Amino acid sequence: MLSALGLLLTVTTAVTNAPFAPGLLHPGAAPTALPAPHYPATTRLYAAPDTPAALWVREHPGDRRAAVLAGRIASRPQASWFTDPDPLKIEGQVHAVVDAARAQRALPVLVAYAVHRRDCSGHSTGGTGAAAAYRAWIEGFTRGIGTARALVILEPDALALSDCLSGRERRDRFAALSYAGRVLHDGAPYSRVYYDAGNSGWHPAPTMAERLRRAGATRYADGIALNVSNFNRTRDEIRYGRSVLRDLGVSRLGMVIDTSRNGAGPARGHHACDPPGRRLGQPPTTGTGIAGVDAYLWVKPPGQTDGCTAAAGTFDAQYGYLLAR
């Protein structure tokens, strides 16, 4: 089951997607200590003026869909994805977004998405070449952040999708993510790093926790990212995230959840490639009111396709409009 799909750099909450009760765990589970929020509830998230949705609205002012897309998608904070595999370019690309966010006194959400064979030859196939190239890439990414504040989501699907790799390739991937976590931890000291942990409809929590542990999350992460580019309900992701974190056994770790398209929950059969009938989820905020949940984010920019209604990463105005209605 695929979750995150290739993207370019860049409201209504359903009743059934209501916030999860702060103290609720799996039936029979032992209580667990929950960390204090990593961000104040009033944290301003960065809304870039040049997202594909914003550009489309400016280019189509007379379109009947423009007002809806402008008010419900283009104006909202969304993550910036960095996919260019060239280590020489990435520092400047990251720095440009971080600088713009700093000028607004806002927190940018940055997605590092360039690990080798990042989508196992799926819609978003690509990434850097050898391990040395990825090390150079993540070093440049980190220099682009420097001493600025940022929320970093590290390599969507890299762990959840690692079944497609050989045993040696999996070890290399764990090592690459561990290196990335260490570089970000040391070189971007005012950033927080969230390792992607798939979603509640994918792997059992102990499986994901073991992969996160092998990839250095217990040493270098500030938390885990869930539901990236997927449609699962927020309450299900919180349950799953708490199970993963309980298995990791590190009380300081929190979670962030992608709510960009989960307002109607998953499609039948959990079809994850531009399924019809989906809706925008909870707007991006760090004020979740739930212990251990650091933010609801729009990691997947709504309207950018998974590769089924149009080429992966393309902004599809009609799909975005249907999400936002």
Side-chain angles (χ1 to χ4, degrees), residues 58-233:
R58 287 202 292 273
E59 292 167 359
H60 301 82
D63 192 288
R64 64 179 179 81
R65 300 166 293 185
V68 171
L69 291 171
R72 298 187 182 177
I73 293 180
S75 62
R76 300 286 188 182
Q78 299 165 38
S80 296
W81 288 65
F82 297 87
T83 66
D84 190 324
D86 188 342
L88 299 177
K89 296 178 181 178
I90 196 63
E91 179 178 351
Q93 293 174 353
V94 173
H95 184 73
V97 172
V98 167
D99 239 19
R102 183 157 38 191
Q104 292 187 11
R105 297 185 178 181
L107 178 73
V109 178
L110 314 176
V111 183
Y113 191 52
V115 74
H116 178 53
R117 293 194 66 200
R118 63 186 176 205
D119 194 27
C120 288
S121 302
H123 287 290
S124 301
T125 187
T128 58
Y134 185 69
R135 289 195 294 270
W137 190 92
I138 200 65
E139 289 166 2
F141 182 97
T142 302
R143 287 193 302 271
I145 301 173
T147 57
R149 294 168 64 246
L151 190 160
V152 177
I153 295 176
L154 185 61
E155 298 295 342
D157 288 356
L159 294 176
L161 201 58
S162 62
D163 297 300
C164 73
L165 304 174
S166 68
R168 179 176 180 177
E169 288 172 330
R170 279 195 295 275
R171 290 190 295 273
D172 289 345
R173 178 159 293 183
F174 296 145
L177 294 181
S178 184
Y179 183 81
R182 178 164 63 86
V183 168
L184 286 161
H185 181 272
D186 295 343
Y190 299 106
S191 294
R192 299 193 189 279
V193 180
Y194 293 80
Y195 277 59
D196 186 80
N199 62 71
S200 60
W202 207 335
H203 295 292
T207 299
M208 185 52 61
E210 176 59 21
R211 294 181 186 187
L212 288 160
R213 190 175 294 108
R214 294 183 65 184
T218 55
R219 288 171 288 170
Y220 307 122
D222 295 283
I224 59 175
L226 299 164
N227 208 41
V228 172
S229 293
N230 219 286
F231 304 87
N232 297 324
R233 298 187 189 281

